[in-house]
Amino acid sequence: PGAIAVFHDISKIKRLETMRQDFVANVSHELRTPLTSIKGYAETLLNEPAPPENIQKSFLETIEKNANHMCKIVDDLLNLSRLESGKEQGHFIPLDPMIALSNAWQACCALAEKRNVKLVAAINKNQFKVQADPDQLMQLFRNLLENAIKYGPENKPVVVNHLVEGDRLKFTVQDEGIGIPAIDQPRIFERFYSVEKFRRNEFGSTGLGLAISRHIVSNHGGKIEVQSPPEGCPRGAAFIFTLPLAKKSA
Ligand code: ADP
């Protein structure tokens, strides 16, 4: 039995080492792409003769866009590592989830306007309180709303529903978009996993949003899952998660 335990320990260490190597390779790759672009444009700007002024401006805009993307990757990575370390579980207080939802929608409104996507949700404020961390809850809604806007069709709404289930509140964030093939569904909560790389680049995604979302939900003692297509719908994706209701006296 001792030998078997050692064997298991070694295979666990090997698995962790492979995960670590994959992670470092992924981070390097994700940062290298925008960095290569910044370097290329900066070099062209410094070349003699200098390009015309309007071209210079568009190069600088590309540099800024790529630098912003790198900042987003680093922010998301720091966020994820804080959540994963377990050091920062969160500050859980009774909260109206509809306020977090409205704030998250506000944060996505530029993208929503661009794609002409509306939010459809029964937002009755003061109806329920969940026991949640305010920043994490807002981030969770924001990640799921942003995905529904990005991967959903233009001109179609994102629908958010909620339902009481025992001592929990169950939320569904649903779109009518391209959906997620069954084969990819078990993997989309992994860091840097994406179904279609080209779509990610179009929106400057980091591939970390769902990994962060899963950590947030599990920090709150809940579960998150995807249904694609959603029950009773021909297409799209629904992300379903639960949060604990706050005690009545709170
Ligand atoms: P990203 O920053 O790439 O959007 P996420 O971790 O949020 O990263 O999502 C991981 C991948 O899951 C996405 O790249 C996309 O392929 C897929 N995905 C997430 N949400 C949806 C959705 N609502 N509809 C279709 N695909 C989605």
mmCIF file of all heavy atoms in Angstrom, residues 72 76 143-144 146-152 173-175 177-181 187-197 199-200 204-213 226 228 236-239, ligand 1:
data_model
loop_
_atom_site.group_PDB
_atom_site.id
_atom_site.type_symbol
_atom_site.label_atom_id
_atom_site.label_comp_id
_atom_site.label_asym_id
_atom_site.label_seq_id
_atom_site.Cartn_x
_atom_site.Cartn_y
_atom_site.Cartn_z
ATOM 1 N N LYS A 72 -5.442 43.798 -19.859
ATOM 2 C CA LYS A 72 -6.624 43.001 -19.492
ATOM 3 C C LYS A 72 -6.194 41.571 -19.134
ATOM 4 O O LYS A 72 -6.672 40.993 -18.161
ATOM 5 C CB LYS A 72 -7.620 43.028 -20.669
ATOM 6 C CG LYS A 72 -8.815 42.131 -20.555
ATOM 7 C CD LYS A 72 -10.022 42.922 -20.061
ATOM 8 C CE LYS A 72 -11.344 42.186 -20.091
ATOM 9 N NZ LYS A 72 -11.433 40.960 -19.344
ATOM 10 N N ASP A 76 -6.736 40.001 -15.490
ATOM 11 C CA ASP A 76 -7.507 38.757 -15.332
ATOM 12 C C ASP A 76 -6.664 37.678 -14.646
ATOM 13 O O ASP A 76 -7.161 36.932 -13.807
ATOM 14 C CB ASP A 76 -8.005 38.239 -16.695
ATOM 15 C CG ASP A 76 -9.270 38.959 -17.142
ATOM 16 O OD1 ASP A 76 -9.756 39.831 -16.392
ATOM 17 O OD2 ASP A 76 -9.773 38.650 -18.236
ATOM 18 N N ASN A 143 -18.846 39.084 -16.708
ATOM 19 C CA ASN A 143 -18.227 38.092 -17.600
ATOM 20 C C ASN A 143 -19.283 37.392 -18.441
ATOM 21 O O ASN A 143 -19.120 37.212 -19.649
ATOM 22 C CB ASN A 143 -17.480 37.026 -16.787
ATOM 23 C CG ASN A 143 -16.236 37.571 -16.121
ATOM 24 O OD1 ASN A 143 -15.823 38.683 -16.403
ATOM 25 N ND2 ASN A 143 -15.647 36.799 -15.227
ATOM 26 N N LEU A 144 -20.384 36.983 -17.794
ATOM 27 C CA LEU A 144 -21.399 36.211 -18.522
ATOM 28 C C LEU A 144 -22.168 37.099 -19.499
ATOM 29 O O LEU A 144 -22.484 36.676 -20.620
ATOM 30 C CB LEU A 144 -22.358 35.531 -17.542
ATOM 31 C CG LEU A 144 -21.698 34.521 -16.594
ATOM 32 C CD1 LEU A 144 -22.721 33.914 -15.652
ATOM 33 C CD2 LEU A 144 -20.982 33.411 -17.371
ATOM 34 N N GLU A 146 -21.005 39.843 -20.939
ATOM 35 C CA GLU A 146 -20.097 40.192 -22.042
ATOM 36 C C GLU A 146 -20.020 39.051 -23.051
ATOM 37 O O GLU A 146 -20.065 39.284 -24.258
ATOM 38 C CB GLU A 146 -18.696 40.476 -21.486
ATOM 39 C CG GLU A 146 -18.299 41.927 -21.667
ATOM 40 C CD GLU A 146 -17.024 42.268 -20.920
ATOM 41 O OE1 GLU A 146 -16.137 41.400 -20.789
ATOM 42 O OE2 GLU A 146 -16.941 43.415 -20.460
ATOM 43 N N ASN A 147 -19.928 37.813 -22.548
ATOM 44 C CA ASN A 147 -19.882 36.660 -23.460
ATOM 45 C C ASN A 147 -21.171 36.564 -24.263
ATOM 46 O O ASN A 147 -21.136 36.319 -25.470
ATOM 47 C CB ASN A 147 -19.681 35.359 -22.681
ATOM 48 C CG ASN A 147 -18.237 35.157 -22.289
ATOM 49 O OD1 ASN A 147 -17.365 35.885 -22.739
ATOM 50 N ND2 ASN A 147 -17.988 34.181 -21.442
ATOM 51 N N ALA A 148 -22.313 36.744 -23.582
ATOM 52 C CA ALA A 148 -23.597 36.625 -24.281
ATOM 53 C C ALA A 148 -23.704 37.699 -25.370
ATOM 54 O O ALA A 148 -24.239 37.449 -26.449
ATOM 55 C CB ALA A 148 -24.744 36.742 -23.280
ATOM 56 N N ILE A 149 -23.143 38.879 -25.100
ATOM 57 C CA ILE A 149 -23.183 39.948 -26.117
ATOM 58 C C ILE A 149 -22.223 39.607 -27.265
ATOM 59 O O ILE A 149 -22.572 39.725 -28.435
ATOM 60 C CB ILE A 149 -22.807 41.321 -25.512
ATOM 61 C CG1 ILE A 149 -23.762 41.705 -24.385
ATOM 62 C CG2 ILE A 149 -22.783 42.400 -26.586
ATOM 63 C CD1 ILE A 149 -23.292 42.891 -23.555
ATOM 64 N N LYS A 150 -21.012 39.152 -26.896
ATOM 65 C CA LYS A 150 -19.983 38.869 -27.911
ATOM 66 C C LYS A 150 -20.384 37.707 -28.813
ATOM 67 O O LYS A 150 -20.238 37.763 -30.021
ATOM 68 C CB LYS A 150 -18.662 38.471 -27.225
ATOM 69 C CG LYS A 150 -17.895 39.590 -26.623
ATOM 70 C CD LYS A 150 -16.503 39.155 -26.173
ATOM 71 C CE LYS A 150 -16.477 38.043 -25.166
ATOM 72 N NZ LYS A 150 -15.161 37.833 -24.543
ATOM 73 N N TYR A 151 -20.838 36.620 -28.181
ATOM 74 C CA TYR A 151 -21.096 35.393 -28.947
ATOM 75 C C TYR A 151 -22.553 35.249 -29.364
ATOM 76 O O TYR A 151 -22.903 34.316 -30.083
ATOM 77 C CB TYR A 151 -20.636 34.168 -28.141
ATOM 78 C CG TYR A 151 -19.180 34.255 -27.746
ATOM 79 C CD1 TYR A 151 -18.793 34.408 -26.416
ATOM 80 C CD2 TYR A 151 -18.184 34.219 -28.719
ATOM 81 C CE1 TYR A 151 -17.454 34.515 -26.066
ATOM 82 C CE2 TYR A 151 -16.848 34.333 -28.373
ATOM 83 C CZ TYR A 151 -16.497 34.474 -27.039
ATOM 84 O OH TYR A 151 -15.169 34.598 -26.706
ATOM 85 N N GLY A 152 -23.390 36.157 -28.892
ATOM 86 C CA GLY A 152 -24.783 36.153 -29.316
ATOM 87 C C GLY A 152 -24.917 36.945 -30.601
ATOM 88 O O GLY A 152 -23.989 37.658 -31.001
ATOM 89 N N VAL A 173 -28.267 33.101 -17.593
ATOM 90 C CA VAL A 173 -27.900 34.167 -18.543
ATOM 91 C C VAL A 173 -27.890 33.502 -19.922
ATOM 92 O O VAL A 173 -27.079 32.613 -20.177
ATOM 93 C CB VAL A 173 -26.508 34.750 -18.217
ATOM 94 C CG1 VAL A 173 -26.114 35.809 -19.241
ATOM 95 C CG2 VAL A 173 -26.489 35.334 -16.809
ATOM 96 N N GLN A 174 -28.798 33.942 -20.773
ATOM 97 C CA GLN A 174 -29.050 33.192 -22.012
ATOM 98 C C GLN A 174 -28.975 34.070 -23.260
ATOM 99 O O GLN A 174 -29.426 35.220 -23.251
ATOM 100 C CB GLN A 174 -30.458 32.587 -21.888
ATOM 101 C CG GLN A 174 -30.792 31.623 -22.977
ATOM 102 C CD GLN A 174 -32.040 30.818 -22.636
ATOM 103 O OE1 GLN A 174 -32.379 30.646 -21.462
ATOM 104 N NE2 GLN A 174 -32.736 30.345 -23.643
ATOM 105 N N ASP A 175 -28.383 33.490 -24.314
ATOM 106 C CA ASP A 175 -28.351 34.204 -25.598
ATOM 107 C C ASP A 175 -28.831 33.270 -26.699
ATOM 108 O O ASP A 175 -29.018 32.081 -26.472
ATOM 109 C CB ASP A 175 -26.924 34.701 -25.896
ATOM 110 C CG ASP A 175 -25.936 33.563 -26.032
ATOM 111 O OD1 ASP A 175 -26.061 32.780 -26.992
ATOM 112 O OD2 ASP A 175 -25.041 33.432 -25.174
ATOM 113 N N GLY A 177 -27.120 32.841 -29.594
ATOM 114 C CA GLY A 177 -25.973 32.900 -30.498
ATOM 115 C C GLY A 177 -25.538 31.570 -31.073
ATOM 116 O O GLY A 177 -26.328 30.628 -31.170
ATOM 117 N N ILE A 178 -24.246 31.512 -31.385
ATOM 118 C CA ILE A 178 -23.690 30.343 -32.060
ATOM 119 C C ILE A 178 -23.659 29.111 -31.176
ATOM 120 O O ILE A 178 -23.518 27.998 -31.647
ATOM 121 C CB ILE A 178 -22.252 30.627 -32.558
ATOM 122 C CG1 ILE A 178 -21.454 31.297 -31.434
ATOM 123 C CG2 ILE A 178 -22.261 31.440 -33.826
ATOM 124 C CD1 ILE A 178 -19.989 31.486 -31.754
ATOM 125 N N GLY A 179 -23.741 29.325 -29.855
ATOM 126 C CA GLY A 179 -23.729 28.191 -28.939
ATOM 127 C C GLY A 179 -22.357 27.549 -28.827
ATOM 128 O O GLY A 179 -21.373 28.037 -29.404
ATOM 129 N N ILE A 180 -22.296 26.464 -28.078
ATOM 130 C CA ILE A 180 -21.025 25.789 -27.817
ATOM 131 C C ILE A 180 -21.206 24.305 -28.123
ATOM 132 O O ILE A 180 -22.060 23.654 -27.534
ATOM 133 C CB ILE A 180 -20.614 25.983 -26.342
ATOM 134 C CG1 ILE A 180 -20.451 27.478 -26.050
ATOM 135 C CG2 ILE A 180 -19.334 25.232 -26.010
ATOM 136 C CD1 ILE A 180 -20.677 27.852 -24.633
ATOM 137 N N PRO A 181 -20.401 23.761 -29.056
ATOM 138 C CA PRO A 181 -20.540 22.339 -29.384
ATOM 139 C C PRO A 181 -20.374 21.463 -28.133
ATOM 140 O O PRO A 181 -19.569 21.791 -27.246
ATOM 141 C CB PRO A 181 -19.394 22.094 -30.371
ATOM 142 C CG PRO A 181 -19.013 23.441 -30.885
ATOM 143 C CD PRO A 181 -19.335 24.422 -29.810
ATOM 144 N N ARG A 187 -14.878 21.823 -21.430
ATOM 145 C CA ARG A 187 -13.567 22.477 -21.332
ATOM 146 C C ARG A 187 -13.628 23.999 -21.258
ATOM 147 O O ARG A 187 -12.604 24.641 -20.977
ATOM 148 C CB ARG A 187 -12.703 22.064 -22.543
ATOM 149 C CG ARG A 187 -12.475 20.553 -22.567
ATOM 150 C CD ARG A 187 -11.258 20.177 -23.319
ATOM 151 N NE ARG A 187 -10.044 20.836 -22.805
ATOM 152 C CZ ARG A 187 -8.906 20.887 -23.465
ATOM 153 N NH1 ARG A 187 -8.823 20.330 -24.653
ATOM 154 N NH2 ARG A 187 -7.845 21.470 -22.951
ATOM 155 N N ILE A 188 -14.791 24.586 -21.489
ATOM 156 C CA ILE A 188 -14.806 26.056 -21.610
ATOM 157 C C ILE A 188 -14.509 26.798 -20.309
ATOM 158 O O ILE A 188 -14.206 27.981 -20.341
ATOM 159 C CB ILE A 188 -16.133 26.594 -22.205
ATOM 160 C CG1 ILE A 188 -17.304 26.040 -21.432
ATOM 161 C CG2 ILE A 188 -16.245 26.308 -23.698
ATOM 162 C CD1 ILE A 188 -18.581 26.748 -21.759
ATOM 163 N N PHE A 189 -14.579 26.082 -19.161
ATOM 164 C CA PHE A 189 -14.261 26.755 -17.898
ATOM 165 C C PHE A 189 -12.762 26.684 -17.583
ATOM 166 O O PHE A 189 -12.313 27.179 -16.559
ATOM 167 C CB PHE A 189 -15.084 26.150 -16.745
ATOM 168 C CG PHE A 189 -16.560 26.413 -16.878
ATOM 169 C CD1 PHE A 189 -17.398 25.481 -17.468
ATOM 170 C CD2 PHE A 189 -17.114 27.609 -16.442
ATOM 171 C CE1 PHE A 189 -18.754 25.728 -17.614
ATOM 172 C CE2 PHE A 189 -18.467 27.866 -16.591
ATOM 173 C CZ PHE A 189 -19.291 26.928 -17.173
ATOM 174 N N GLU A 190 -12.000 26.045 -18.486
ATOM 175 C CA GLU A 190 -10.548 25.989 -18.286
ATOM 176 C C GLU A 190 -9.923 27.317 -18.703
ATOM 177 O O GLU A 190 -10.422 27.982 -19.604
ATOM 178 C CB GLU A 190 -9.932 24.893 -19.179
ATOM 179 C CG GLU A 190 -10.264 23.502 -18.737
ATOM 180 C CD GLU A 190 -9.763 22.465 -19.745
ATOM 181 O OE1 GLU A 190 -8.878 22.763 -20.564
ATOM 182 O OE2 GLU A 190 -10.291 21.340 -19.688
ATOM 183 N N ARG A 191 -8.774 27.611 -18.075
ATOM 184 C CA ARG A 191 -8.068 28.842 -18.445
ATOM 185 C C ARG A 191 -7.649 28.781 -19.906
ATOM 186 O O ARG A 191 -7.156 27.755 -20.366
ATOM 187 C CB ARG A 191 -6.793 28.977 -17.595
ATOM 188 C CG ARG A 191 -7.088 29.196 -16.148
ATOM 189 C CD ARG A 191 -5.817 29.242 -15.364
ATOM 190 N NE ARG A 191 -5.135 27.959 -15.334
ATOM 191 C CZ ARG A 191 -4.354 27.569 -14.345
ATOM 192 N NH1 ARG A 191 -4.151 28.352 -13.331
ATOM 193 N NH2 ARG A 191 -3.756 26.404 -14.378
ATOM 194 N N PHE A 192 -7.847 29.872 -20.598
ATOM 195 C CA PHE A 192 -7.407 30.080 -21.994
ATOM 196 C C PHE A 192 -8.094 29.185 -23.025
ATOM 197 O O PHE A 192 -7.687 29.159 -24.173
ATOM 198 C CB PHE A 192 -5.880 29.900 -22.137
ATOM 199 C CG PHE A 192 -5.093 30.904 -21.367
ATOM 200 C CD1 PHE A 192 -4.218 30.512 -20.371
ATOM 201 C CD2 PHE A 192 -5.226 32.256 -21.635
ATOM 202 C CE1 PHE A 192 -3.491 31.442 -19.653
ATOM 203 C CE2 PHE A 192 -4.498 33.196 -20.914
ATOM 204 C CZ PHE A 192 -3.636 32.781 -19.931
ATOM 205 N N TYR A 193 -9.134 28.449 -22.605
ATOM 206 C CA TYR A 193 -9.797 27.602 -23.603
ATOM 207 C C TYR A 193 -10.767 28.446 -24.409
ATOM 208 O O TYR A 193 -11.553 29.210 -23.857
ATOM 209 C CB TYR A 193 -10.563 26.455 -22.924
ATOM 210 C CG TYR A 193 -11.012 25.427 -23.938
ATOM 211 C CD1 TYR A 193 -10.136 24.453 -24.386
ATOM 212 C CD2 TYR A 193 -12.293 25.460 -24.481
ATOM 213 C CE1 TYR A 193 -10.521 23.536 -25.353
ATOM 214 C CE2 TYR A 193 -12.684 24.541 -25.442
ATOM 215 C CZ TYR A 193 -11.797 23.580 -25.870
ATOM 216 O OH TYR A 193 -12.168 22.670 -26.816
ATOM 217 N N SER A 194 -10.707 28.333 -25.720
ATOM 218 C CA SER A 194 -11.741 28.995 -26.505
ATOM 219 C C SER A 194 -12.121 28.114 -27.680
ATOM 220 O O SER A 194 -11.290 27.363 -28.197
ATOM 221 C CB SER A 194 -11.306 30.378 -26.959
ATOM 222 O OG SER A 194 -10.178 30.274 -27.736
ATOM 223 N N VAL A 195 -13.396 28.220 -28.054
ATOM 224 C CA VAL A 195 -13.910 27.357 -29.101
ATOM 225 C C VAL A 195 -13.400 27.834 -30.458
ATOM 226 O O VAL A 195 -12.938 27.051 -31.262
ATOM 227 C CB VAL A 195 -15.458 27.317 -29.057
ATOM 228 C CG1 VAL A 195 -16.001 26.424 -30.156
ATOM 229 C CG2 VAL A 195 -15.928 26.851 -27.686
ATOM 230 N N GLU A 196 -13.480 29.127 -30.659
ATOM 231 C CA GLU A 196 -13.039 29.676 -31.951
ATOM 232 C C GLU A 196 -12.090 30.828 -31.705
ATOM 233 O O GLU A 196 -12.515 31.897 -31.285
ATOM 234 C CB GLU A 196 -14.233 30.217 -32.742
ATOM 235 C CG GLU A 196 -15.162 29.156 -33.264
ATOM 236 C CD GLU A 196 -16.394 29.802 -33.866
ATOM 237 O OE1 GLU A 196 -17.280 30.175 -33.093
ATOM 238 O OE2 GLU A 196 -16.432 29.939 -35.085
ATOM 239 N N LYS A 197 -10.818 30.584 -31.977
ATOM 240 C CA LYS A 197 -9.800 31.604 -31.698
ATOM 241 C C LYS A 197 -10.093 32.925 -32.425
ATOM 242 O O LYS A 197 -9.933 33.988 -31.861
ATOM 243 C CB LYS A 197 -8.417 31.110 -32.134
ATOM 244 C CG LYS A 197 -7.827 30.114 -31.184
ATOM 245 C CD LYS A 197 -6.915 30.798 -30.171
ATOM 246 C CE LYS A 197 -6.362 29.759 -29.204
ATOM 247 N NZ LYS A 197 -6.213 30.163 -27.864
ATOM 248 N N ARG A 199 -12.758 34.437 -33.243
ATOM 249 C CA ARG A 199 -13.791 35.280 -32.629
ATOM 250 C C ARG A 199 -13.224 36.011 -31.426
ATOM 251 O O ARG A 199 -13.543 37.147 -31.157
ATOM 252 C CB ARG A 199 -14.981 34.419 -32.161
ATOM 253 C CG ARG A 199 -15.842 33.982 -33.283
ATOM 254 C CD ARG A 199 -17.239 33.728 -32.777
ATOM 255 N NE ARG A 199 -18.165 34.440 -33.596
ATOM 256 C CZ ARG A 199 -19.146 35.194 -33.130
ATOM 257 N NH1 ARG A 199 -19.323 35.325 -31.851
ATOM 258 N NH2 ARG A 199 -19.954 35.811 -33.941
ATOM 259 N N ARG A 200 -12.343 35.306 -30.678
ATOM 260 C CA ARG A 200 -11.755 35.915 -29.497
ATOM 261 C C ARG A 200 -10.978 37.150 -29.865
ATOM 262 O O ARG A 200 -11.085 38.179 -29.213
ATOM 263 C CB ARG A 200 -10.800 34.930 -28.845
ATOM 264 C CG ARG A 200 -11.467 34.144 -27.786
ATOM 265 C CD ARG A 200 -10.477 33.274 -27.125
ATOM 266 N NE ARG A 200 -9.347 34.060 -26.659
ATOM 267 C CZ ARG A 200 -8.283 33.527 -26.109
ATOM 268 N NH1 ARG A 200 -8.192 32.244 -25.986
ATOM 269 N NH2 ARG A 200 -7.325 34.292 -25.677
ATOM 270 N N GLY A 204 -11.058 41.067 -28.498
ATOM 271 C CA GLY A 204 -10.025 41.248 -27.475
ATOM 272 C C GLY A 204 -10.294 40.447 -26.216
ATOM 273 O O GLY A 204 -10.093 40.919 -25.107
ATOM 274 N N SER A 205 -10.764 39.209 -26.378
ATOM 275 C CA SER A 205 -11.038 38.373 -25.209
ATOM 276 C C SER A 205 -9.745 37.792 -24.660
ATOM 277 O O SER A 205 -8.749 37.722 -25.362
ATOM 278 C CB SER A 205 -11.943 37.221 -25.611
ATOM 279 O OG SER A 205 -13.080 37.718 -26.242
ATOM 280 N N THR A 206 -9.804 37.324 -23.404
ATOM 281 C CA THR A 206 -8.591 36.766 -22.797
ATOM 282 C C THR A 206 -8.677 35.259 -22.596
ATOM 283 O O THR A 206 -7.668 34.620 -22.286
ATOM 284 C CB THR A 206 -8.330 37.407 -21.424
ATOM 285 O OG1 THR A 206 -9.415 37.051 -20.557
ATOM 286 C CG2 THR A 206 -8.204 38.901 -21.515
ATOM 287 N N GLY A 207 -9.865 34.678 -22.701
ATOM 288 C CA GLY A 207 -10.002 33.246 -22.455
ATOM 289 C C GLY A 207 -9.957 32.901 -20.972
ATOM 290 O O GLY A 207 -9.785 31.744 -20.603
ATOM 291 N N LEU A 208 -10.097 33.924 -20.115
ATOM 292 C CA LEU A 208 -10.011 33.669 -18.675
ATOM 293 C C LEU A 208 -11.337 33.924 -17.959
ATOM 294 O O LEU A 208 -11.511 33.579 -16.784
ATOM 295 C CB LEU A 208 -8.926 34.558 -18.054
ATOM 296 C CG LEU A 208 -7.499 34.259 -18.518
ATOM 297 C CD1 LEU A 208 -6.539 35.358 -18.107
ATOM 298 C CD2 LEU A 208 -7.031 32.915 -17.963
ATOM 299 N N GLY A 209 -12.278 34.531 -18.668
ATOM 300 C CA GLY A 209 -13.536 34.962 -18.037
ATOM 301 C C GLY A 209 -14.309 33.839 -17.361
ATOM 302 O O GLY A 209 -14.760 33.987 -16.219
ATOM 303 N N LEU A 210 -14.441 32.709 -18.047
ATOM 304 C CA LEU A 210 -15.232 31.623 -17.463
ATOM 305 C C LEU A 210 -14.479 30.917 -16.338
ATOM 306 O O LEU A 210 -15.100 30.426 -15.391
ATOM 307 C CB LEU A 210 -15.666 30.622 -18.541
ATOM 308 C CG LEU A 210 -16.779 31.105 -19.473
ATOM 309 C CD1 LEU A 210 -17.113 30.025 -20.493
ATOM 310 C CD2 LEU A 210 -18.039 31.484 -18.705
ATOM 311 N N ALA A 211 -13.141 30.867 -16.440
ATOM 312 C CA ALA A 211 -12.356 30.278 -15.335
ATOM 313 C C ALA A 211 -12.565 31.127 -14.077
ATOM 314 O O ALA A 211 -12.779 30.598 -12.977
ATOM 315 C CB ALA A 211 -10.887 30.213 -15.712
ATOM 316 N N ILE A 212 -12.531 32.445 -14.244
ATOM 317 C CA ILE A 212 -12.764 33.354 -13.119
ATOM 318 C C ILE A 212 -14.197 33.163 -12.590
ATOM 319 O O ILE A 212 -14.428 33.056 -11.386
ATOM 320 C CB ILE A 212 -12.514 34.827 -13.551
ATOM 321 C CG1 ILE A 212 -11.034 35.039 -13.834
ATOM 322 C CG2 ILE A 212 -13.023 35.810 -12.508
ATOM 323 C CD1 ILE A 212 -10.679 36.405 -14.400
ATOM 324 N N SER A 213 -15.149 33.072 -13.523
ATOM 325 C CA SER A 213 -16.559 32.935 -13.113
ATOM 326 C C SER A 213 -16.765 31.671 -12.291
ATOM 327 O O SER A 213 -17.475 31.677 -11.287
ATOM 328 C CB SER A 213 -17.466 32.888 -14.342
ATOM 329 O OG SER A 213 -17.272 34.045 -15.099
ATOM 330 N N VAL A 226 -23.169 24.992 -18.180
ATOM 331 C CA VAL A 226 -23.631 25.550 -19.449
ATOM 332 C C VAL A 226 -24.606 24.576 -20.087
ATOM 333 O O VAL A 226 -24.464 23.361 -19.939
ATOM 334 C CB VAL A 226 -22.432 25.843 -20.382
ATOM 335 C CG1 VAL A 226 -21.670 24.584 -20.742
ATOM 336 C CG2 VAL A 226 -22.887 26.546 -21.647
ATOM 337 N N SER A 228 -26.214 24.134 -23.914
ATOM 338 C CA SER A 228 -26.194 24.669 -25.270
ATOM 339 C C SER A 228 -26.574 23.577 -26.265
ATOM 340 O O SER A 228 -25.893 22.563 -26.322
ATOM 341 C CB SER A 228 -24.797 25.209 -25.579
ATOM 342 O OG SER A 228 -24.776 25.766 -26.860
ATOM 343 N N GLY A 236 -28.132 28.761 -29.294
ATOM 344 C CA GLY A 236 -27.663 29.649 -28.239
ATOM 345 C C GLY A 236 -27.053 28.907 -27.063
ATOM 346 O O GLY A 236 -26.824 27.701 -27.123
ATOM 347 N N ALA A 237 -26.760 29.675 -26.007
ATOM 348 C CA ALA A 237 -26.149 29.097 -24.810
ATOM 349 C C ALA A 237 -26.795 29.709 -23.580
ATOM 350 O O ALA A 237 -27.179 30.883 -23.593
ATOM 351 C CB ALA A 237 -24.649 29.372 -24.804
ATOM 352 N N ALA A 238 -26.915 28.893 -22.536
ATOM 353 C CA ALA A 238 -27.412 29.407 -21.251
ATOM 354 C C ALA A 238 -26.397 29.033 -20.183
ATOM 355 O O ALA A 238 -25.970 27.880 -20.104
ATOM 356 C CB ALA A 238 -28.767 28.798 -20.937
ATOM 357 N N PHE A 239 -25.971 30.024 -19.417
ATOM 358 C CA PHE A 239 -25.093 29.772 -18.271
ATOM 359 C C PHE A 239 -25.949 29.856 -17.019
ATOM 360 O O PHE A 239 -26.644 30.860 -16.797
ATOM 361 C CB PHE A 239 -23.931 30.763 -18.252
ATOM 362 C CG PHE A 239 -22.895 30.424 -19.285
ATOM 363 C CD1 PHE A 239 -23.060 30.837 -20.602
ATOM 364 C CD2 PHE A 239 -21.803 29.626 -18.967
ATOM 365 C CE1 PHE A 239 -22.137 30.476 -21.573
ATOM 366 C CE2 PHE A 239 -20.874 29.268 -19.930
ATOM 367 C CZ PHE A 239 -21.037 29.691 -21.240
HETATM 368 P P1 ADP B 1 -13.212 34.653 -23.708
HETATM 369 O O1 ADP B 1 -12.438 35.784 -23.116
HETATM 370 O O2 ADP B 1 -12.503 33.953 -24.827
HETATM 371 O O3 ADP B 1 -14.621 35.003 -24.026
HETATM 372 P P2 ADP B 1 -14.219 32.929 -21.613
HETATM 373 O O4 ADP B 1 -13.454 32.155 -20.580
HETATM 374 O O5 ADP B 1 -15.196 33.925 -21.126
HETATM 375 O O6 ADP B 1 -13.135 33.552 -22.553
HETATM 376 O O7 ADP B 1 -14.966 31.896 -22.549
HETATM 377 C C1 ADP B 1 -14.259 30.752 -23.036
HETATM 378 C C2 ADP B 1 -14.788 30.348 -24.402
HETATM 379 O O8 ADP B 1 -16.109 29.812 -24.274
HETATM 380 C C3 ADP B 1 -14.926 31.502 -25.393
HETATM 381 O O9 ADP B 1 -13.711 31.747 -26.055
HETATM 382 C C4 ADP B 1 -16.007 30.989 -26.330
HETATM 383 O O10 ADP B 1 -15.433 30.123 -27.287
HETATM 384 C C5 ADP B 1 -16.890 30.150 -25.403
HETATM 385 N N1 ADP B 1 -18.088 30.894 -24.933
HETATM 386 C C6 ADP B 1 -18.247 31.526 -23.755
HETATM 387 N N2 ADP B 1 -19.480 32.063 -23.635
HETATM 388 C C7 ADP B 1 -20.133 31.758 -24.780
HETATM 389 C C8 ADP B 1 -21.455 32.020 -25.282
HETATM 390 N N3 ADP B 1 -22.348 32.708 -24.568
HETATM 391 N N4 ADP B 1 -21.761 31.529 -26.507
HETATM 392 C C9 ADP B 1 -20.864 30.824 -27.245
HETATM 393 N N5 ADP B 1 -19.607 30.547 -26.824
HETATM 394 C C10 ADP B 1 -19.241 31.005 -25.615
#
